[in-house]
Amino acid sequence: MTVITDTDNICAIATPPGKGGVSILRISGSNLSVFLSKFVSKKLEPRSAVYASFTDDENVIIDKGIAIYFPAPNSFTGEEVLELHGHGGPAVMDLLLQRSLKLGARLARAGEFSERAFLNNKIDLIQAEAISDLILASSEQAARCAIRSLQGEFSKQIATLLENLVSLRTYVEAAIDFPEEEINFLADPKISIELESLLSLVKKTKERAHQGSLVSEGMSVVIAGKPNAGKSSLLNALSKRDSAIVSDIAGTTRDVLREHIHLDGMPLHIIDTAGLHETKNSLEQEGIKRAWDEIDQADRVLYVIDSNSKYSLNIQENWPEYFSRYPTRNNITFVLNKSDISDLSPGIRQDKLATVILSAKSHDGLEALGDHLKSCMGYTGTNEGSFVARRRHIEALNNTENYLMSGKKQLLRAAAGELLAEDLRHAQQSLSSITGVFSSDDLLGQIFGSFCIGK
């Protein structure tokens, strides 16, 4: 990997905006000698916290606090890094920031400190993303998974896969390049054995990554249905608070309401939508349009039905608009609500389509719905050994598995060594994109652009 060539000194406030006990100004670059001599009143020893004054260009004290100097390459970014821990007032920190700019630094872009750490081989792309995931973690489980990735557990797993894949690819391509040896390498059981071993390891890695992805990103659940089916009551029951107004008047919900909860450690992004029905009211039409927009992007759709209505008699024909719009999607669960005033018993009903019977009012059957949602997403609730993973990681692992499966077919059915070698090459590129060995500039910009300023 090429070492970073941008030698600009960069600076940013690394702590959240607002008032607090301590705020941190971070500076990184190829040469911070001017900052060490003109900004800080005392000589700094590497990696030692020193209480010092921070002065302006007229040697007037701006603030007093702790200064820490990290020489290259033994720093987070791999460059020289200076951190000033001052009093947490916005005015004070702004003066320190302005002083840094006068001494020749420029404001850091979002995520630029982590980006430099990645480009200088201090961390790989998985670890860089784990920094952001750790900051944004909304639960203990998510934080623990992010720490595992930051410590390199996910990276080690990918490195092992790559090592085995490169070894197999080298063997296959060497056999293709030297046919004069008159060895039918395609008949060598070593190839098929190693392919099977690789596929098994990829599947195990996917399982661990999938659990980490669920803990980190969760699933989006859209509550849909006709007016007065009890959609808002279900949102309130799941969120355990009065998030939505509940009324007997049809069309109470006309916009999209969102709640974020945790289900045994798995984040749920619950979205309540307007009732789906024919209307000439322009306001209701906009609400229905927004409902369909959310349904388009949902991981799971809960279609709520009043269990006392005629619509509950035939589940399969209950929502023809959905099945005509998404003929191949299978992410819908029918929720028969108001079981407290019907003859139906709460729980999961074994129909052709997923059906849960409950009462949003009394909460009977709510636990069954939770178990059903975890089952739909493959969430086990056991996160030991899981590492944080993103959708792009899962996609890359899926692509790797598909290429290996294709290579296996080329080996067993067509006996095409060249095509097997090409599939192995694509599989290696897919795996390498996870850690950042092969990554486009667009991908890097997208990843680091989502970071905080100063991180």
Side-chain angles (χ1 to χ4, degrees):
M1 185 183 296
T2 303
V3 176
I4 189 170
T5 57
D6 183 358
T7 58
D8 288 352
N9 294 326
I10 59 173
C11 64
I13 297 172
T15 41
K19 298 178 181 179
V22 176
S23 288
I24 300 173
L25 175 70
R26 176 177 287 167
I27 307 168
S28 179
S30 59
N31 187 350
L32 300 186
S33 58
V34 67
F35 296 87
L36 297 172
S37 62
K38 295 186 176 181
F39 203 168
V40 184
S41 64
K42 295 182 180 179
K43 183 179 179 180
L44 302 182
E45 296 296 328
R47 292 172 297 281
S48 296
V50 176
Y51 182 69
S53 300
F54 313 140
T55 58
D56 63 15
D57 52 0
E58 296 180 355
N59 209 32
V60 175
I61 296 175
I62 301 173
D63 193 12
K64 286 187 175 184
I66 300 297
I68 309 176
Y69 169 63
F70 302 90
N74 301 317
S75 71
F76 173 69
T77 63
E79 305 172 323
E80 294 185 40
V81 172
L82 175 63
E83 287 189 356
L84 303 181
H85 299 228
H87 293 91
V92 173
M93 293 310 296
D94 186 61
L95 287 171
L96 294 177
L97 186 63
Q98 294 303 321
R99 175 63 168 149
S100 300
L101 297 175
K102 285 184 179 180
L103 289 173
R106 65 167 173 81
L107 287 174
R109 302 188 307 272
E112 190 170 2
F113 289 91
S114 297
E115 182 181 19
R116 290 190 175 200
F118 165 70
L119 293 173
N120 282 324
N121 297 326
K122 303 299 291 185
I123 55 175
D124 62 29
L125 204 52
I126 290 176
Q127 292 170 303
E129 291 170 303
I131 294 171
S132 178
D133 292 328
L134 181 58
I135 293 171
L136 299 175
S138 58
S139 68
E140 179 184 345
Q141 293 93 331
R144 291 187 182 278
C145 287
I147 280 291
R148 292 191 191 102
S149 287
L150 186 56
Q151 291 175 330
E153 287 193 29
F154 193 7
S155 303
K156 290 175 184 175
Q157 191 77 20
I158 299 301
T160 299
L161 279 169
L162 277 169
E163 183 180 352
N164 295 344
L165 180 53
V166 169
S167 175
L168 177 58
R169 184 184 169 195
T170 300
Y171 180 81
V172 170
E173 294 193 356
I176 294 173
D177 290 340
F178 299 101
E180 65 274 7
E181 298 295 331
E182 297 183 356
I183 298 175
N184 182 10
F185 81 96
L186 294 176
D188 188 344
K190 172 183 176 180
I191 297 178
S192 59
I193 291 173
E194 290 195 9
L195 261 176
E196 285 296 338
S197 177
L198 269 170
L199 279 166
S200 176
L201 193 54
V202 168
K203 288 177 181 177
K204 289 179 181 178
T205 304
K206 275 178 56 180
E207 290 174 3
R208 293 179 64 187
H210 179 66
Q211 291 300 308
S213 176
L214 290 177
V215 168
S216 174
E217 299 185 1
M219 65 183 291
S220 62
V221 178
V222 170
I223 301 175
K226 299 183 183 299
N228 270 355
K231 301 184 299 299
S232 296
S233 296
L234 181 57
L235 173 69
N236 292 344
L238 289 170
S239 64
K240 298 180 180 179
R241 67 190 191 93
D242 293 334
S243 304
I245 297 174
V246 176
S247 169
D248 293 332
I249 302 172
T252 302
T253 302
R254 295 188 176 186
D255 204 345
V256 173
L257 300 178
R258 302 177 188 274
E259 277 291 335
H260 301 281
I261 69 169
H262 283 86
L263 191 63
D264 291 343
M266 181 179 72
L268 285 185
H269 311 290
I270 308 173
I271 302 155
D272 183 24
T273 60
L276 303 174
H277 65 290
E278 294 292 332
T279 179
K280 294 182 179 180
N281 185 305
S282 60
L283 190 60
E284 290 185 335
Q285 287 176 346
E286 177 60 26
I288 293 170
K289 176 184 176 299
R290 294 186 183 189
W292 279 108
D293 288 342
E294 295 296 337
I295 292 167
D296 286 340
Q297 305 171 57
D299 292 318
R300 198 76 191 171
V301 179
L302 302 181
Y303 190 80
V304 183
I305 304 167
D306 184 343
S307 60
N308 296 282
S309 72
K310 62 179 181 180
Y311 298 110
S312 65
L313 300 177
N314 193 331
I315 294 293
Q316 282 75 8
E317 297 178 3
N318 205 290
W319 198 13
E321 300 93 341
Y322 177 88
F323 295 103
S324 62
R325 190 161 178 161
Y326 314 107
T328 60
R329 281 176 66 175
N330 187 28
N331 68 337
I332 181 174
T333 296
F334 287 97
V335 177
L336 297 182
N337 189 25
K338 304 182 182 180
S339 65
D340 54 309
I341 54 174
S342 73
D343 297 329
L344 299 176
S345 299
I348 299 175
R349 191 164 75 182
Q350 301 300 323
D351 285 345
K352 291 181 181 179
L353 298 173
T355 307
V356 178
I357 302 168
L358 55 77
S359 168
K361 182 178 181 179
S362 69
H363 294 187
D364 290 332
L366 206 61
E367 185 176 348
L369 176 61
D371 292 339
H372 169 72
L373 291 174
K374 288 187 290 184
S375 175
C376 290
M377 293 299 288
Y379 181 69
T380 63
T382 302
N383 300 312
E384 182 153 356
S386 297
F387 30 67
V388 71
R390 298 188 173 191
R391 291 182 188 269
R392 77 168 192 90
H393 303 150
I394 305 296
E395 183 179 351
L397 287 168
N398 284 334
N399 290 338
T400 300
E401 185 178 24
N402 291 336
Y403 283 124
L404 291 176
M405 290 295 294
S406 174
K408 182 179 177 181
K409 290 178 183 178
Q410 302 298 349
L411 175 66
L412 299 179
R413 297 181 184 179
E418 290 83 359
L419 296 179
L420 168 61
E422 183 66 6
D423 281 328
L424 292 177
R425 183 181 70 84
H426 284 302
Q428 182 183 347
Q429 286 185 334
S430 292
L431 271 181
S432 297
S433 70
I434 296 177
T435 54
V437 176
F438 293 116
S439 296
S440 68
D441 291 340
D442 288 341
L443 174 62
L444 296 182
Q446 181 180 2
I447 289 173
F448 291 108
S450 65
F451 278 42
C452 306
I453 298 292
K455 197 61 188 168

